[in-house]
Amino acid sequence: MTPIQMTFSTMFLLGLMGLTFHRTHLLSALLCLESMMLSLFLATSLWALQLSTINIATVPMLLLAFSACEASSGLALLVATARTHGSDHMQNLNLLQC
Amino acid sequence: MSYLVCVLLFGLMVGSVGVASNRSPYFAAMGLVMVSGVGCGVLICFGGSFLPLVFFLIYLGGMMVVFAFSAALSAEPYPYGWGNRSVKMYVAAYVLGVGCAWKVLLGKWSGFWGGNLDESGELLVLRGDMMGVAAMHDVGGWMLVLGGLGLLLTLFVVLELVRGVSRGGLRTV
């Protein structure tokens, strides 16, 4: 494995672990999701650049468009949480707690 | 040139650890800014010209700005910086994990340069990745239409999520 592929693989895994082990704020979980999307953008761009298959350069652009959709939905959920509970602390989201 | 790529890859790892290590969202957004700037540099080193610009303008200038002003929703009087004990433990755990993974899986490098798009050495007008993105408008026209419809749908989803007065996502307000 070359170092650049190791780098974006570990970036994805770090973002995934940050999303899994988030503790306080909903927004830090959304930011870890954004770092996962960032690593995917890097990976698909490097696919287009390193292997010289330049038609694959459409994939990062479309990935960015749909990642914007997902980020805006996540931020709308954050705004809804902040308006309902007063803050975006994860311990307030305990409606399903037994 | 490969030393520059090594330095930029190190910057990517440092920024990712900074985002994932559960600090206050102010500092995590700064970590994402750093990661996207350094990632833009990595793409330039591998020969891209349009894709790094898209990355910088759209991702950093569009989405990160929105995240930055949404960080006001998570305001607290003492945000978790580097000095917090639990943040330091998370950072140590992630750095140790990344170091072990690199040592085990990358014991000997199987080559560094996968390829570089401007290997020809000339100064071309039609750069490679820009022509690849132009193919999205040419043969990928229906995918553009689908993407536009998806974005329109997301607009309505967001409007319904934050609508109040018992019509949307907010029932109590």
Side-chain angles (χ1 to χ4, degrees), chain B residues 55-71:
Chain B
F55 202 26
F56 226 59
L57 284 172
I58 309 302
Y59 194 85
L60 199 53
M63 286 163 57
M64 274 304 117
V65 164
V66 175
F67 272 100
F69 67 69
S70 298

Side-chain angles (χ1 to χ4, degrees), chain A residues 1-2 4 7 10-11 14 21 23 25 27 34 38 50 54-55 58 62 67 69 72 75 80 83-84 88, chain B residues 9 13 16 20 22 35 46 59 63 66-67 71 74 76 86 90 106 110-111 132 135-136 143 151 154 170 173:
Chain A
M1 199 188 298
T2 64
I4 179 65
T7 304
T10 42
M11 274 175 69
L14 275 176
F21 301 133
R23 286 173 318 138
H25 289 284
L27 187 55
E34 282 310 306
L38 198 152
Q50 280 189 338
I54 57 179
N55 268 338
T58 60
L62 293 167
S67 154
C69 294
S72 59
L75 285 175
R83 283 190 66 189
T84 312
D88 66 337
Chain B
L9 294 185
M13 301 291 358
S16 300
N22 218 333
V35 167
F46 281 98
Y59 194 85
M63 286 163 57
V66 175
F67 272 100
S74 70
E76 53 188 10
S86 61
Y90 270 102
L106 209 58
S110 56
M136 183 172 67
M143 201 60 204
L151 285 167
T154 307
L170 309 181
V173 178

Side-chain angles (χ1 to χ4, degrees), chain A residues 1-4 6-8 10-11 14-15 17-19 21-25 27-28 30-32 34-35 37-38 41-42 44-46 48-58 60-62 64-73 75-84 86-89, chain B residues 9 12-13 16-17 19-20 22-23 25 28-29 32 35-36 39 42-43 46-48 50-51 54-55 58-59 63 66-67 70-71 73-74 76 80 86 90 94 98 101-102 105-106 109-112 114-117 128-129 131-133 135-136 143 147 150-151 154 157-158 161-162 170 172-173:
Chain A
M1 199 188 298
T2 64
I4 179 65
M6 187 69 190
T7 304
F8 61 68
T10 42
M11 274 175 69
L14 275 176
M17 282 197 287
L19 179 64
F21 301 133
H22 61 269
R23 286 173 318 138
T24 319
H25 289 284
L27 187 55
S28 45
L30 292 178
L31 285 168
C32 290
E34 282 310 306
S35 81
M37 281 295 144
L38 198 152
F41 184 93
L42 269 181
T44 47
S45 302
L46 284 165
L49 293 174
Q50 280 189 338
L51 303 179
S52 293
T53 58
I54 57 179
N55 268 338
I56 303 295
T58 60
M61 306 287 294
L62 293 167
L64 207 58
F66 293 124
S67 154
C69 294
E70 164 218 325
S72 59
S73 308
L75 285 175
L77 284 171
L78 178 78
V79 165
T81 308
R83 283 190 66 189
T84 312
S87 69
D88 66 337
H89 286 166
Chain B
L9 294 185
L12 276 180
M13 301 291 358
S16 300
V17 166
V19 171
N22 218 333
R23 302 189 291 169
L32 263 185
V35 167
S36 51
V42 168
L43 289 180
F46 281 98
F50 185 69
L51 286 171
V54 161
F55 202 26
I58 309 302
Y59 194 85
M63 286 163 57
V66 175
F67 272 100
S70 298
L73 285 169
S74 70
E76 53 188 10
Y80 288 173
S86 61
Y90 270 102
Y94 286 145
V98 165
W102 274 67
L105 293 174
L106 209 58
W109 290 359
S110 56
F112 196 25
N116 196 354
L117 198 59
D129 56 345
M131 290 305 111
V133 173
M136 183 172 67
M143 201 60 204
L151 285 167
T154 307
V157 160
V158 166
L161 271 176
V162 297
L170 309 181
T172 66
V173 178

